[in-house]
Amino acid sequence: DGVVRPWTSAIDSDGDGSLEALTRPYSAVRNQLKDFFNTGYTQTHSFNLSGATDGFSYFASYGNTNQSGVLDNTYYKRNNFTFNSSAKLSEKLQSDFKVTYANVRQNTAQEGSRAFEGNNAYAMAVQSPINIPFTELRDYKSPFHDINGYWGSYSSVNPYYILNEYGNQAEIDNFLANASITYEILDGLSLKGTYGGNIVSTQTDVWTPTFFPDTQLFWGDDAQIGTRNSKHESLGEYINFTNRTFTIDASVLASYNKDLNEDFTLTATAGYNFFQRESKSLTGSSVGGLVVPGVYNLSNSSQTPTSNMNRNQYRIYGFLGNASIGYKNSAFLEFSARNDVSSTLPSENNS
């Protein structure tokens, strides 16, 4: 109806003993939900160097990506390095090598909870009445918008407080290397060996601050002040997750290509492949809240923190073969076979 009314909780913002509140017309805020979001941006920079001589070539590059999310305090930052080379060691011997490393640091918004649980900023925003101005709520340290002064009772935590004081950070290191060597035994017959390794290390830190709102004073009918104790409280929490995954993929392949006559061609491949993935993870969680608010580590847990460790290994190896007969490069008859032995199957029947 456009009538000017108080829209924040009644608080004593200056300590003089009287209650104050912010007022505004009771009407829809133009572009309200749009104003909740930021304009995201992505910056990418790269540099590369390459060269070649008789029988040898190389390529090196560096890339940087810096991304700012549409929500406050969300970002993605990546630095990556790549180097590869190829060398013809003799008339019959060829080698190739490539290594890549990437480091990622990111902070994302916490999700997956309902508005009244106090962890989901987006849920808080979409469940806010249309007369709430998010442009003013951005100042979440203001006494009118902080834990005590925030207007909400059900959606009871300022979404900008969640985005800036809660944490969901991760750092990821990804190292990938592979090498191959090819030997031409005879004309049309070659032997190739490849080896690849990948190590991915991840560390994630998730935390929730400690807060206990005062009894909320709200405006009732005829601007009468009432009290509520329904706001969300938090003892504080810290969770640390680390994971390391190591993958190996190696193979030896023999390949044969032959023109049988003017009409028919033969292509055949046979070889051996080995694959293994090993993963180790450890999760530690605080229990019963945090002793010192704002200090996020497991030693600050009010009670003995819990831990959970997982370790697994998967391995598969097998022999494979493929043959293809082509007719005038338009019709093909192909045969393929592979037999694997897997560590996930019973030892007496694992292939």
Side-chain angles (χ1 to χ4, degrees), residues 207-223:
W207 65 83
T208 302
T210 304
F211 55 85
F212 300 96
D214 295 337
T215 297
Q216 184 183 21
L217 303 180
F218 70 96
W219 302 97
D221 295 337
D222 300 322

Side-chain angles (χ1 to χ4, degrees), residues 56-348:
F56 179 77
S57 63
Y58 68 90
F59 173 84
S61 70
Y62 165 74
N64 169 266
T65 299
N66 189 359
Q67 185 178 74
S68 176
V70 296
L71 297 176
D72 271 22
N73 199 33
T74 57
Y75 58 82
Y76 174 88
K77 299 179 180 180
R78 185 182 73 233
N79 291 283
N80 55 275
F81 305 85
T82 300
F83 175 80
N84 63 66
S85 65
S86 178
K88 191 171 181 63
L89 304 177
S90 70
E91 289 297 322
K92 293 179 177 278
L93 193 61
Q94 170 84 27
S95 68
D96 297 278
F97 174 77
K98 181 177 181 180
V99 60
T100 301
Y101 170 75
N103 172 264
V104 173
R105 290 183 296 117
Q106 63 183 30
N107 187 58
T108 58
Q110 294 193 23
E111 299 179 352
S113 59
R114 295 163 292 182
F116 67 85
E117 293 174 311
N119 296 323
N120 193 328
Y122 179 72
M124 295 287 188
V126 297
Q127 295 189 33
S128 295
I130 200 170
N131 68 305
I132 301 300
F134 287 121
T135 53
E136 296 186 35
L137 292 181
R138 284 182 181 272
D139 184 13
Y140 68 91
K141 294 184 179 181
S142 162
F144 295 103
H145 307 313
D146 64 8
I147 290 297
N148 293 319
Y150 183 67
W151 67 271
S153 299
Y154 174 81
S155 302
S156 60
V157 183
N158 188 329
Y160 292 104
Y161 179 87
I162 297 174
L163 291 171
N164 288 279
E165 300 298 331
Y166 289 53
N168 192 21
Q169 294 183 352
E171 183 168 1
I172 305 168
D173 290 299
N174 190 340
F175 178 80
L176 175 66
N178 58 72
S180 68
I181 188 166
T182 305
Y183 181 70
E184 186 176 354
I185 303 172
L186 299 170
D187 185 26
L189 177 63
S190 64
L191 186 66
K192 182 177 182 180
T194 62
Y195 178 88
N198 184 208
I199 301 174
V200 180
S201 299
T202 303
Q203 175 164 306
T204 303
D205 296 286
V206 180
W207 65 83
T208 302
T210 304
F211 55 85
F212 300 96
D214 295 337
T215 297
Q216 184 183 21
L217 303 180
F218 70 96
W219 302 97
D221 295 337
D222 300 322
Q224 297 298 309
I225 293 179
T227 61
R228 284 197 187 110
N229 288 294
S230 58
K231 280 196 169 187
H232 179 73
E233 296 180 346
S234 172
L235 295 172
E237 183 181 35
Y238 173 70
I239 301 172
N240 175 264
F241 170 78
T242 59
N243 183 77
R244 182 179 182 271
T245 302
F246 179 33
T247 303
I248 297 174
D249 192 346
S251 62
V252 178
L253 295 175
S255 300
Y256 181 69
N257 297 282
K258 180 70 174 180
D259 292 332
L260 301 177
N261 54 42
E262 291 183 357
D263 295 330
F264 289 93
T265 60
L266 172 65
T267 301
T269 301
Y272 170 83
N273 175 250
F274 174 86
F275 178 88
Q276 177 177 289
R277 175 170 293 160
E278 183 178 283
S279 179
K280 300 177 183 178
S281 66
L282 176 64
T283 303
S285 304
S286 64
V287 177
L290 303 176
V291 178
V292 181
V295 178
Y296 301 110
N297 58 61
L298 295 177
S299 63
N300 192 39
S301 176
S302 293
Q303 301 174 27
T304 302
T306 61
S307 64
N308 181 46
M309 175 180 285
N310 288 296
R311 178 179 296 178
N312 60 76
Q313 185 182 74
Y314 169 70
R315 179 182 296 167
I316 185 171
Y317 61 88
F319 296 91
L320 57 98
N322 175 272
S324 176
I325 298 175
Y327 176 70
K328 291 187 176 181
N329 204 31
S330 59
F332 298 90
L333 180 62
E334 188 165 328
F335 306 88
S336 296
R338 175 163 181 154
N339 182 58
D340 288 319
V341 176
S342 173
S343 64
T344 60
L345 298 176
S347 57
E348 65 275 7

